[in-house]
Amino acid sequence: MIVSVCADKGSPGVTTTAVALGMVWPGERVLLEADPSGGDLALRMRSPEGQLLARQPTVRALSVDARSGAIPESLLGYAHHTSLGVPVIPATDMRTEDFTLIARQWPAVASVADQWTGTVIADLGRLQEGNSAGPLAAASTVVLLIGRATPEGFYHLRERASA
């Protein structure tokens, strides 16, 4: 099962909500950082020992394996254990070549995530049209749209939900 968390305009609490869901979600789960604008979970999160997360593995490793058809038995092999108890597959540092590679592989990553027996909580950031991580949203069982509690925020959410 894939649960995607996203916003239409800005990212008002998308990452925080995704992490909170990961902390309370029952059963096997992993937080997948899929924001094409780049992620910062590797900077925010700490290992159980209080250290910064290692630079590898990242979403890039998962996307390379997904592209080759190597369906992993568990996505947890790509994840880092964190002090919050939420396994995280962080984004890369999003160098241009990484971003381009991953953008083309989101359909394969979505397929692998959908076949995994656990729950993938995907942080998609802003789900604007053309967001390369859109295949994750399309494969999701649940898409949680986050917005600002303003008339404009509700308008943008309504328009994004209808799309």
Side-chain angles (χ1 to χ4, degrees):
M1 171 166 53
I2 303 171
V3 175
S4 289
V5 183
C6 54
D8 177 62
K9 190 172 182 178
S11 292
V14 170
T15 299
T16 302
T17 302
V19 170
L21 279 174
M23 290 174 66
V24 300
W25 200 270
E28 195 170 40
R29 81 277 188 223
V30 68
L31 178 57
L32 175 66
E33 193 166 34
D35 185 344
S37 298
D40 55 2
L41 282 177
L43 301 172
R44 286 187 187 185
M45 304 292 268
R46 297 289 183 263
S47 71
E49 297 78 29
Q51 305 298 316
L52 286 173
L53 299 183
R55 293 184 59 84
Q56 298 293 331
T58 64
V59 171
R60 184 173 196 257
L62 174 59
S63 71
V64 168
D65 287 351
R67 175 184 66 191
S68 69
I71 299 173
E73 189 173 307
S74 175
L75 292 181
L76 295 177
Y78 299 92
H80 298 265
H81 297 286
T82 67
S83 60
L84 297 177
V86 181
V88 173
I89 303 174
T92 65
D93 58 11
M94 292 304 197
R95 296 182 308 261
T96 303
E97 60 273 14
D98 286 346
F99 183 78
T100 302
L101 170 71
I102 293 169
R104 291 191 306 257
Q105 300 312 317
W106 283 124
V109 170
S111 176
V112 167
D114 191 42
Q115 294 175 41
W116 187 48
T117 58
T119 300
V120 174
I121 300 168
D123 174 353
L124 302 183
R126 292 177 297 278
L127 190 60
Q128 300 281 327
E129 288 193 37
N131 179 327
S132 60
L136 277 170
S140 295
T141 303
V142 175
V143 176
L144 178 59
L145 286 165
I146 308 266
R148 300 192 192 287
T150 64
E152 299 87 359
F154 288 120
Y155 173 80
H156 288 294
L157 282 180
R158 183 187 71 191
E159 293 303 308
R160 182 59 51 222
S162 67

